Amino acid sequence: MAKRALRVRVEVVGSPEGPVESRPGRIMIVPPHVTFDDFGLAVDRALGRWDLAQLRLYWTSGDGGSDPSRFSYKDRVAAKLKPGGVFGYRFGQDGWEHECTVEAYDDPVEAFGRETHTAHAITGWGAVPDQAGNTAPPSTVDEGGHVPLWPDLARLRRLDDGEVRRAAFAGDLPTLVRAVTGSNLDYALQFVGDALLKARRASGGAEGATASESDAEVARLLAAIAGRLHERGWSGDEYLAQDIEAELSGAETELRPLPVDIPELTQIMSSGGDFRSEGRLNLDTGEINEFQPFGDRFDAYDDEDAEGEEEDAAESWTNVAWIESGSSDGWNDMSSFAELQHDPNIADRLARAIEGRGAFRRFRDAVDQLDLTDRWHEFSGDRELGRARQFLAEYGVRPI
């Protein structure tokens, strides 16, 4: 039988609290079509992890280890490594570190007992720490009588978006890394991914060991966020992930860079009701003109603009898609937010709030009463950013 798979030794070498001296581990059989993200998920399951919605990143060890973008989540393990190769795998922002050594080629039937197209553990050793540091079953239940889920979320602090914006604008990589690390990014992948990209580009001329270390850490965070964006799959996520991967690899993307004011674009696209507005985007310069659609839509332009309008190429201007309060996008955002709540009681309350007329008002009241307003704004803001990025991609451009 042909030896078509890799046999990989995986050892847990680091935890959020520091090094793991006992180095518990697993031997994994890895068929040829398994990607790094498939591999990481199989390792996590083999190690008994129960909250799998975490950032993952993979990098080389030894020579070349300074290139954190060497392995994309979608690269095939067998295409990048051969026996003797060593690579690192980190699970979660807090830093569960693994040393992975490709021991040999192996036959999956002989090693695993049957043909398989996914990675599996075939043996293991050692006491594996719980991913959240739990040493006993939970002794409390919530108000509905349920065992609280994902207790490790309490260890993650809320993202300080102001600090992230300031650090990104200044190209201050060390501050940005501190602001992002240990924060809950579930609802902020668009915002944080864009901020990391801008900061890395703005700090292109930074020198020194500290700057180099910070740049490497930002690159690792970006690689992990790209994987999470692909997995999450919201509108615009695929395009931001591609932009990140192009930045890390130095490759070109199919989308043309354009300096666009994303906050202004999202404001127009999410406006509605009495404050509904429309606008147009100049695909040559990135300029946005906003106007109210109920009057003369060109009232906002002066005579000089009007005289020059006929000279604009037809494909250079396009009306910005607008979204009103009762649009399907807005309602779908509320519905998705409700479904993503870990507490079934909260999820049920929010789902009932958006039934029938007055859904938007009832939903706002509910998130306020449940102390979820900040999380809702973070969630809906990231959805709006993604839709703006999707809108631009449909015209062949990406924001810079």
Side-chain angles (χ1 to χ4, degrees):
M1 183 70 70
K3 296 184 177 181
R4 296 178 292 103
L6 295 176
R7 189 173 71 239
V8 181
R9 179 188 185 95
V10 179
E11 296 177 280
V12 182
V13 297
S15 76
E17 284 70 38
V20 179
E21 301 295 341
S22 60
R23 296 173 71 101
R26 299 288 185 267
I27 299 295
M28 307 293 296
I29 192 73
V30 184
H33 296 293
V34 169
T35 66
F36 278 95
D37 211 39
D38 296 332
F39 171 81
L41 181 60
V43 168
D44 298 334
R45 287 172 171 162
L47 293 173
R49 291 172 180 148
W50 38 266
D51 179 9
L52 302 178
Q54 298 288 334
L55 295 170
R56 297 182 177 91
L57 58 90
Y58 314 87
W59 67 95
T60 55
S61 295
D63 293 339
S66 62
D67 180 6
S69 64
R70 174 75 59 101
F71 298 140
S72 166
Y73 79 101
K74 61 183 178 181
D75 286 337
R76 291 185 296 112
V77 179
K80 294 293 183 179
L81 293 158
K82 59 185 180 180
V86 180
F87 65 98
Y89 165 49
R90 179 188 294 174
F91 171 79
Q93 292 187 80
D94 286 340
W96 285 99
E97 303 277 355
H98 310 76
E99 182 179 290
C100 309
T101 304
V102 181
E103 295 186 330
Y105 291 112
D106 209 336
D107 174 23
V109 175
E110 293 180 358
F112 186 58
R114 61 178 173 82
E115 190 69 41
T116 179
H117 298 288
T118 59
H120 291 277
I122 56 177
T123 189
W125 62 92
V128 179
D130 180 80
Q131 73 175 83
N134 296 329
T135 58
S139 58
T140 60
V141 296
D142 60 23
E143 294 179 356
H146 303 284
V147 173
L149 302 179
W150 295 275
D152 64 321
L153 288 177
R155 297 160 53 125
L156 298 177
R157 55 188 172 86
R158 183 177 178 276
L159 183 71
D160 185 338
D161 55 357
E163 184 179 16
V164 171
R165 286 191 179 91
R166 290 189 295 272
F169 181 79
D172 184 350
L173 298 188
T175 298
L176 184 57
V177 168
R178 287 195 299 270
V180 171
T181 302
S183 297
N184 192 339
L185 305 183
D186 286 352
Y187 299 162
L189 295 177
Q190 281 278 340
F191 170 66
V192 172
D194 187 66
L196 288 168
L197 273 179
K198 289 178 178 176
R200 193 169 191 259
R201 289 163 176 164
S203 65
E207 299 179 354
T210 301
S212 178
E213 292 172 4
S214 297
D215 181 76
E217 187 61 30
V218 167
R220 292 189 182 99
L221 286 170
L222 280 169
I225 286 174
R228 285 290 298 278
L229 286 164
H230 282 295
E231 180 182 1
R232 190 175 73 169
W234 291 357
S235 180
D237 281 357
E238 189 73 16
Y239 292 110
L240 178 55
Q242 292 174 5
D243 198 7
I244 289 173
E245 290 162 356
E247 169 71 17
L248 295 178
S249 65
E252 295 294 329
T253 69
E254 296 180 357
L255 302 178
R256 176 172 55 87
L258 188 70
V260 179
D261 187 335
I262 288 295
E264 183 179 7
L265 179 59
T266 57
Q267 180 179 347
I268 296 172
M269 293 181 66
S270 61
S271 64
D274 294 339
F275 301 99
R276 169 190 150 198
S277 61
E278 292 183 357
R280 64 177 189 171
L281 167 69
N282 188 313
L283 291 171
D284 291 328
T285 66
E287 179 187 3
I288 296 173
N289 289 137
E290 182 179 0
F291 54 84
Q292 298 295 323
F294 301 108
D296 182 351
R297 61 173 47 195
F298 300 110
D299 281 348
Y301 310 151
D302 58 26
D303 292 338
E304 183 178 346
D305 292 329
E307 292 174 1
E309 186 175 338
E310 294 182 357
E311 299 176 4
D312 293 331
E315 65 273 14
S316 295
W317 286 95
T318 180
N319 289 329
V320 174
W322 56 269
I323 303 171
E324 60 182 355
S325 308
S327 70
S328 60
D329 285 326
W331 190 91
N332 288 336
D333 286 352
M334 296 189 297
S335 178
S336 297
F337 185 75
E339 293 174 357
L340 289 171
Q341 299 309 304
H342 297 275
D343 187 322
N345 297 317
I346 293 177
D348 181 64
R349 180 173 175 182
L350 293 177
R352 286 187 284 108
I354 60 176
E355 295 176 354
R357 295 173 63 95
F360 287 83
R361 174 184 54 79
R362 288 194 305 274
F363 183 84
R364 286 194 298 269
D365 291 342
V367 295
D368 183 56
Q369 293 165 7
L370 294 167
D371 196 25
L372 292 173
T373 301
D374 289 342
R375 290 291 279 162
W376 162 245
H377 286 162
E378 187 176 67
F379 172 87
S380 59
D382 222 48
R383 301 272 282 201
E384 291 170 359
L385 285 174
R387 282 194 288 269
R389 190 176 294 274
Q390 181 80 27
F391 169 83
L392 294 171
E394 290 172 358
Y395 290 94
V397 298
R398 59 183 173 86
I400 57 172

